[in-house]
PDB file of all heavy atoms in Angstrom:
ATOM      1  N   GLU A 373       0.079 -21.007 -17.659  1.00 95.00           N
ATOM      2  CA  GLU A 373      -0.582 -20.558 -16.425  1.00 95.00           C
ATOM      3  C   GLU A 373      -2.021 -20.127 -16.675  1.00 95.00           C
ATOM      4  O   GLU A 373      -2.339 -19.581 -17.730  1.00 95.00           O
ATOM      5  CB  GLU A 373       0.201 -19.403 -15.814  1.00 95.00           C
ATOM      6  CG  GLU A 373       1.375 -19.891 -14.992  1.00 95.00           C
ATOM      7  CD  GLU A 373       2.283 -18.800 -14.525  1.00 95.00           C
ATOM      8  OE1 GLU A 373       1.780 -17.685 -14.248  1.00 95.00           O
ATOM      9  OE2 GLU A 373       3.505 -19.071 -14.446  1.00 95.00           O
ATOM     10  N   LYS A 395       2.815  -8.037 -16.891  1.00 94.00           N
ATOM     11  CA  LYS A 395       3.604  -9.059 -16.211  1.00 94.00           C
ATOM     12  C   LYS A 395       4.269  -9.996 -17.231  1.00 94.00           C
ATOM     13  O   LYS A 395       5.456 -10.312 -17.152  1.00 94.00           O
ATOM     14  CB  LYS A 395       2.653  -9.850 -15.299  1.00 94.00           C
ATOM     15  CG  LYS A 395       3.347 -10.532 -14.151  1.00 94.00           C
ATOM     16  CD  LYS A 395       2.320 -10.996 -13.154  1.00 94.00           C
ATOM     17  CE  LYS A 395       2.645 -12.427 -12.754  1.00 94.00           C
ATOM     18  NZ  LYS A 395       1.484 -13.174 -12.320  1.00 94.00           N
ATOM     19  N   LEU A 396       3.496 -10.398 -18.241  1.00 95.00           N
ATOM     20  CA  LEU A 396       4.031 -11.355 -19.221  1.00 95.00           C
ATOM     21  C   LEU A 396       5.055 -10.715 -20.131  1.00 95.00           C
ATOM     22  O   LEU A 396       6.034 -11.349 -20.542  1.00 95.00           O
ATOM     23  CB  LEU A 396       2.888 -11.945 -20.043  1.00 95.00           C
ATOM     24  CG  LEU A 396       2.025 -12.951 -19.337  1.00 95.00           C
ATOM     25  CD1 LEU A 396       0.713 -13.194 -20.067  1.00 95.00           C
ATOM     26  CD2 LEU A 396       2.770 -14.292 -19.146  1.00 95.00           C
ATOM     27  N   LYS A 397       4.850  -9.439 -20.456  1.00 93.00           N
ATOM     28  CA  LYS A 397       5.776  -8.761 -21.362  1.00 93.00           C
ATOM     29  C   LYS A 397       7.175  -8.585 -20.733  1.00 93.00           C
ATOM     30  O   LYS A 397       8.159  -8.560 -21.425  1.00 93.00           O
ATOM     31  CB  LYS A 397       5.244  -7.368 -21.723  1.00 93.00           C
ATOM     32  CG  LYS A 397       4.488  -7.352 -23.037  1.00 93.00           C
ATOM     33  CD  LYS A 397       3.914  -6.010 -23.347  1.00 93.00           C
ATOM     34  CE  LYS A 397       4.853  -5.041 -23.980  1.00 93.00           C
ATOM     35  NZ  LYS A 397       5.262  -5.316 -25.320  1.00 93.00           N
ATOM     36  N   THR A 398       7.183  -8.520 -19.397  1.00 87.00           N
ATOM     37  CA  THR A 398       8.488  -8.319 -18.743  1.00 87.00           C
ATOM     38  C   THR A 398       9.157  -9.666 -18.461  1.00 87.00           C
ATOM     39  O   THR A 398      10.281  -9.714 -17.998  1.00 87.00           O
ATOM     40  CB  THR A 398       8.342  -7.525 -17.427  1.00 87.00           C
ATOM     41  OG1 THR A 398       7.264  -8.098 -16.677  1.00 87.00           O
ATOM     42  CG2 THR A 398       8.068  -6.064 -17.681  1.00 87.00           C
ATOM     43  N   ARG A 399       8.454 -10.753 -18.734  1.00 83.00           N
ATOM     44  CA  ARG A 399       9.022 -12.087 -18.487  1.00 83.00           C
ATOM     45  C   ARG A 399       9.884 -12.476 -19.692  1.00 83.00           C
ATOM     46  O   ARG A 399       9.418 -12.389 -20.835  1.00 83.00           O
ATOM     47  CB  ARG A 399       7.834 -13.059 -18.319  1.00 83.00           C
ATOM     48  CG  ARG A 399       8.231 -14.448 -17.999  1.00 83.00           C
ATOM     49  CD  ARG A 399       6.979 -15.241 -17.657  1.00 83.00           C
ATOM     50  NE  ARG A 399       7.348 -16.636 -17.523  1.00 83.00           N
ATOM     51  CZ  ARG A 399       6.669 -17.513 -16.847  1.00 83.00           C
ATOM     52  NH1 ARG A 399       5.548 -17.150 -16.252  1.00 83.00           N
ATOM     53  NH2 ARG A 399       7.054 -18.751 -16.758  1.00 83.00           N
ATOM     54  N   PRO A 400      11.111 -12.921 -19.474  1.00 74.00           N
ATOM     55  CA  PRO A 400      11.937 -13.281 -20.634  1.00 74.00           C
ATOM     56  C   PRO A 400      11.331 -14.479 -21.367  1.00 74.00           C
ATOM     57  O   PRO A 400      10.746 -15.362 -20.733  1.00 74.00           O
ATOM     58  CB  PRO A 400      13.276 -13.630 -20.032  1.00 74.00           C
ATOM     59  CG  PRO A 400      13.084 -13.731 -18.539  1.00 74.00           C
ATOM     60  CD  PRO A 400      11.780 -13.103 -18.210  1.00 74.00           C
ATOM     61  N   ASP A 404      10.453 -22.306 -20.966  1.00 75.00           N
ATOM     62  CA  ASP A 404       9.213 -22.803 -20.374  1.00 75.00           C
ATOM     63  C   ASP A 404       7.984 -22.285 -21.130  1.00 75.00           C
ATOM     64  O   ASP A 404       6.862 -22.629 -20.796  1.00 75.00           O
ATOM     65  CB  ASP A 404       9.116 -22.478 -18.883  1.00 75.00           C
ATOM     66  CG  ASP A 404       9.274 -20.994 -18.587  1.00 75.00           C
ATOM     67  OD1 ASP A 404       9.781 -20.279 -19.488  1.00 75.00           O
ATOM     68  OD2 ASP A 404       8.904 -20.555 -17.495  1.00 75.00           O
TER      69      ASP A 404
END
Side-chain angles (χ1 to χ4, degrees):
E373 278 172 33
K395 204 166 133 207
L396 286 164
K397 264 177 84 69
T398 47
R399 182 171 173 157
D404 55 343

